[in-house]
Amino acid sequence: MAAVGASFVTDVLQKSGRLEKEDLQTSVGNLSRKADDVKTRVYSLILKQYTEFKQSCDLTMEMNSKVQELSTEMNSLNEKIKGDVETQLQKANSLYTDLSEQLTETNLIINVLKKLCQIHDSMSKLSLLKICKAYDKVLQILQLVKSLLDDLPRSGAESKIFRTMRAEYLTEYSEFLQTLDRLWNKSIIWQTTTTPSWDNIDGHLKTELTISTSDTADIKLALQTMQSLKLLDEKLNRFGKKFLQFIIRPIVIFPRLKPVHNQTGEACIFSFSKDLTKSSKLGITIMLERIGQTFEQLSEAFMNRSIPGSNDGQEQRSLASMLGEIIWSSLTEIIIKDCLEKCVPKTSSQLEKYEDTLASIAKFETTLITTGYLEENTDTLQAYCKNVTTHFSNKKCQDLLFTAREMLKSNVSFHNSKIISIPDKHKPISPLDDISGGKTKDEKDSKKDE
């Protein structure tokens, strides 16, 4: 039984061992097949990657070879450009610079030649314009020529043609100014002594002022041209000073000197005559009337002409207003100093009669305003006359001071003096003469003691 059982166990174990061996072999075989499959797949993948890598590597190497060839060609081309083309470019650039400089110089020369031609053409027109007396156009041409000459380059300023052009311009300009001066001197002619005498009336009888009254376009153009050149103010200033010195002041200083106005053809003559019927004193009313009539005659003869302003858009002004603006302060000084100061009342009764003087001054200023010599808003002589009370007081004070000064300068009876030598300090001073109304020194001392 035991043997039977042992053999049964043995059979069982053998069968189990065979089964396990068979299962293990089967598993190993399966694993071997799976490993082979994996190896196959890995190999296929590696082979595929390698194939692709090999192609890419070959392509990269090929491209690298081409790039190197291209770089070599570019370097060689660059060297060729630097060697050949760049040299040609430098030559071309240098040639372009030279041509540009030559073109600039040529343009400058052409510009200078154009200006010289303009100057020549303009100067050629002056002769005809002078004959036509077109003074305004002559001035325009001279100003244009001056502008063109100023624009010429400084580098060639010493060249012969430039010096000739400038010399010709200066000559023409000087002759033009002389022409205007001659026309002015022809319109206003003075016959006077060298210096006016304020002690002798006869010297002023030789004074004569002749003014051309012809209102031609030539004189008007000449005056406009003078205004543009800023010469008219200077000429009016000289005329105004001479008119005040030789015409107005003699009327104020010499009452017997009567102004005379004569119209002969196209000229107005201002002169003087001696009024034998008048006394040595002349009322202020008549004196102001004579001055006002003189200014009226002057305005009618010459000063009523209108001149355009020196600036564009400026209103026209008459010669009378320009002259009045220049001489008004000097005229008022003459009238106040040589006339109104002497008319200041000395007494209260004369102060009440001063209204006639105020009326004469107002009439005189109205005449000047009407003729255009005086602006309405200008400080006038009436302002001085309205302060007559102050002037009256000042005159009284001056009279008192004058009287006191004369009294001090005169020899009076109560003023006695005695010349003495320098006293010795050890010697008493000798007494002075009696200057106290007969009192002696002892009487004075006794009175002092009291």
Side-chain angles (χ1 to χ4, degrees):
M1 260 319 271
V4 173
S7 61
F8 179 72
V9 173
T10 301
D11 293 335
V12 171
L13 291 173
Q14 290 179 350
K15 289 182 181 180
S16 298
R18 286 196 298 271
L19 290 174
E20 290 178 359
K21 185 178 180 180
E22 291 176 358
D23 293 335
L24 184 59
Q25 291 177 351
T26 302
S27 298
V28 171
N30 292 332
L31 287 175
S32 298
R33 286 192 299 272
K34 289 181 180 180
D36 293 338
D37 292 338
V38 171
K39 290 179 180 180
T40 302
R41 292 175 63 186
V42 170
Y43 175 78
S44 298
L45 181 61
I46 291 174
L47 181 61
K48 182 179 179 181
Q49 293 293 330
Y50 174 76
T51 303
E52 293 177 356
F53 171 75
K54 186 68 170 60
Q55 294 177 354
S56 177
C57 182
D58 294 340
L59 183 60
T60 301
M61 294 298 292
E62 183 180 358
M63 293 295 294
N64 187 24
S65 178
K66 292 181 179 180
V67 168
Q68 289 180 354
E69 292 177 359
L70 182 59
S71 177
T72 303
E73 293 179 359
M74 290 178 64
N75 290 333
S76 62
L77 181 60
N78 187 23
E79 293 296 332
K80 185 177 180 180
I81 290 174
K82 288 182 178 180
D84 299 335
V85 178
E86 186 174 357
T87 303
Q88 295 178 1
L89 287 175
Q90 290 178 353
K91 292 180 180 180
N93 188 23
S94 177
L95 180 61
Y96 174 77
T97 303
D98 294 339
L99 291 176
S100 298
E101 293 176 354
Q102 293 177 10
L103 178 61
T104 303
E105 293 177 358
T106 304
N107 290 333
L108 290 175
I109 294 172
I110 292 174
N111 189 22
V112 170
L113 291 176
K114 285 182 178 179
K115 290 180 180 179
L116 292 177
C117 290
Q118 290 179 0
I119 293 172
H120 176 73
D121 294 340
S122 300
M123 298 293 281
S124 301
K125 298 177 183 177
L126 289 177
S127 301
L128 180 61
L129 292 176
K130 288 180 181 179
I131 296 175
C132 298
K133 298 181 179 181
Y135 302 112
D136 54 341
K137 294 182 179 179
V138 172
L139 177 60
Q140 292 177 2
I141 288 179
L142 290 175
Q143 289 176 342
L144 175 61
V145 171
K146 184 178 184 302
S147 176
L148 292 173
L149 287 173
D150 292 339
D151 290 340
L152 292 176
R154 299 296 180 184
S155 58
E158 298 301 323
S159 61
K160 184 176 180 180
I161 186 171
F162 286 4
R163 292 200 306 268
T164 304
M165 287 291 185
R166 287 191 173 89
E168 185 179 358
Y169 162 75
L170 293 176
T171 302
E172 291 291 345
Y173 186 76
S174 178
E175 291 179 355
F176 180 61
L177 294 182
Q178 292 175 6
T179 301
L180 296 178
D181 288 338
R182 286 194 298 269
L183 189 59
W184 175 270
N185 296 331
K186 183 180 178 181
S187 301
I188 300 176
I189 302 173
W190 286 95
Q191 292 183 6
T192 62
T193 57
T194 305
T195 56
S197 174
W198 306 117
D199 299 327
N200 185 9
I201 190 176
D202 294 332
H204 295 278
L205 297 176
K206 300 178 182 179
T207 300
E208 185 174 288
L209 170 62
T210 304
I211 296 180
S212 174
T213 58
S214 58
D215 191 11
T216 61
D218 297 342
I219 297 177
K220 185 175 181 180
L221 283 177
L223 293 174
Q224 292 179 3
T225 306
M226 293 179 191
Q227 178 71 355
S228 300
L229 289 171
K230 302 185 184 303
L231 298 176
L232 187 58
D233 290 339
E234 179 182 354
K235 292 188 176 297
L236 287 176
N237 191 10
R238 293 179 181 176
F239 172 80
K241 288 181 179 179
K242 207 165 185 178
F243 188 76
L244 292 177
Q245 185 179 19
F246 289 95
I247 301 295
I248 300 301
R249 193 148 189 256
I251 297 176
V252 178
I253 298 297
F254 301 102
R256 297 174 60 189
L257 197 62
K258 183 179 180 181
V260 179
H261 313 116
N262 295 322
Q263 184 72 33
T264 58
E266 293 184 348
C268 180
I269 301 175
F270 294 80
S271 60
F272 291 109
S273 65
K274 186 183 293 187
D275 192 353
L276 301 177
T277 62
K278 297 295 180 181
S279 62
S280 59
K281 293 184 178 180
L282 183 67
I284 187 174
T285 301
I286 298 177
M287 185 269 293
L288 291 177
E289 286 180 355
R290 289 180 177 179
I291 296 176
Q293 290 174 1
T294 302
F295 276 105
E296 286 180 347
Q297 293 292 332
L298 180 64
S299 178
E300 292 177 1
F302 192 75
M303 294 297 166
N304 57 353
R305 293 177 171 86
S306 296
I307 304 299
S310 57
N311 299 327
D312 295 337
Q314 189 175 352
E315 296 181 357
Q316 291 189 351
R317 295 186 61 189
S318 64
L319 292 178
S321 65
M322 298 172 67
L323 179 63
E325 184 177 346
I326 293 172
I327 68 172
W328 176 243
S329 60
S330 300
L331 177 61
T332 54
E333 183 179 355
I334 291 173
I335 294 177
I336 290 173
K337 182 178 179 180
D338 297 329
C339 183
L340 294 181
E341 286 184 356
K342 300 177 182 179
C343 295
V344 174
K346 298 180 179 180
T347 62
S348 300
S349 59
Q350 293 178 354
L351 187 63
E352 296 176 356
K353 300 179 181 180
Y354 198 68
E355 295 295 331
D356 295 338
T357 301
L358 287 173
S360 300
I361 291 294
K363 183 179 178 181
F364 171 69
E365 291 180 346
T366 302
T367 301
L368 294 183
I369 292 173
T370 303
T371 51
Y373 291 99
L374 187 62
E375 300 291 338
E376 294 184 357
N377 56 353
T378 307
D379 293 336
T380 59
L381 293 170
Q382 296 185 60
Y384 175 86
C385 295
K386 289 179 180 178
N387 292 328
V388 63
T389 305
T390 303
H391 303 318
F392 173 72
S393 303
N394 292 336
K395 190 169 185 179
K396 294 292 290 182
C397 293
Q398 291 176 3
D399 292 341
L400 290 174
L401 291 174
F402 178 77
T403 304
R405 189 184 302 109
E406 293 298 321
M407 291 177 64
L408 292 174
K409 290 167 60 178
S410 63
N411 294 324
V412 294
S413 60
F414 60 86
H415 186 273
N416 295 327
S417 61
K418 180 179 180 180
I419 301 176
I420 59 175
S421 61
I422 300 175
D424 190 356
K425 62 180 179 179
H426 299 293
K427 185 179 180 180
I429 301 175
S430 60
L432 297 173
D433 291 341
D434 181 21
I435 59 172
S436 58
K439 291 182 180 181
T440 63
K441 181 177 182 296
D442 295 335
E443 289 175 346
K444 293 178 185 177
D445 293 338
S446 63
K447 186 175 181 180
K448 183 178 180 181
D449 293 336
E450 292 176 358

